[in-house]
Amino acid sequence: VFQFIVKHECHFINGTEKVRFLHRHFYNRQEFVTFDSDVGRYEGFTFLGEKWAQFWNSDPKIMENQRTAVDWLCRHNYPIVTPFSVERR
């Protein structure tokens, strides 16, 4: 069985003051490429992942979209997620 998974993660530290966005790709339970907003570019972990990272890092539209995802994806959705995650005790 082959499995391909793409995950988008928002890590909130001190509310929306410090936010980290991760865009991760997995194939058969192995992470092969990821975008980390703290690093600001894609990083490949396998041969295929390095090729994809090189291609995506060279495209200015893709990089602008990923670098701004902290604002349009994470911070935008923070008020929606807060009642279910932060305020739940």
Side-chain angles (χ1 to χ4, degrees):
V1 175
F2 297 105
Q3 187 176 36
F4 180 75
I5 299 173
V6 177
K7 291 178 70 176
H8 298 93
E9 300 175 11
C10 295
H11 298 262
F12 299 98
I13 302 160
N14 201 9
T16 59
E17 195 172 310
K18 173 76 172 122
V19 182
R20 181 178 182 197
F21 171 71
L22 296 171
H23 179 194
R24 304 166 70 188
H25 291 254
F26 296 87
Y27 182 72
N28 283 350
R29 299 182 190 167
Q30 181 182 10
E31 184 174 12
F32 66 95
V33 67
T34 188
F35 176 86
D36 186 345
S37 64
D38 287 349
V39 177
R41 63 182 179 86
Y42 282 95
E43 292 182 347
F45 302 113
T46 64
F47 178 76
L48 177 62
E50 289 175 4
K51 295 297 180 188
W52 282 24
Q54 187 178 35
F55 174 75
W56 289 335
N57 287 334
S58 66
D59 188 333
K61 288 184 180 179
I62 291 174
M63 294 310 295
E64 180 182 356
N65 186 46
Q66 294 299 351
R67 288 181 178 139
T68 59
V70 168
D71 293 322
W72 64 261
L73 181 66
C74 297
R75 286 192 176 108
H76 173 75
N77 288 319
Y78 184 77
I80 299 166
V81 176
T82 303
F84 303 102
S85 61
V86 177
E87 296 172 1
R88 190 174 185 167
R89 298 196 183 208

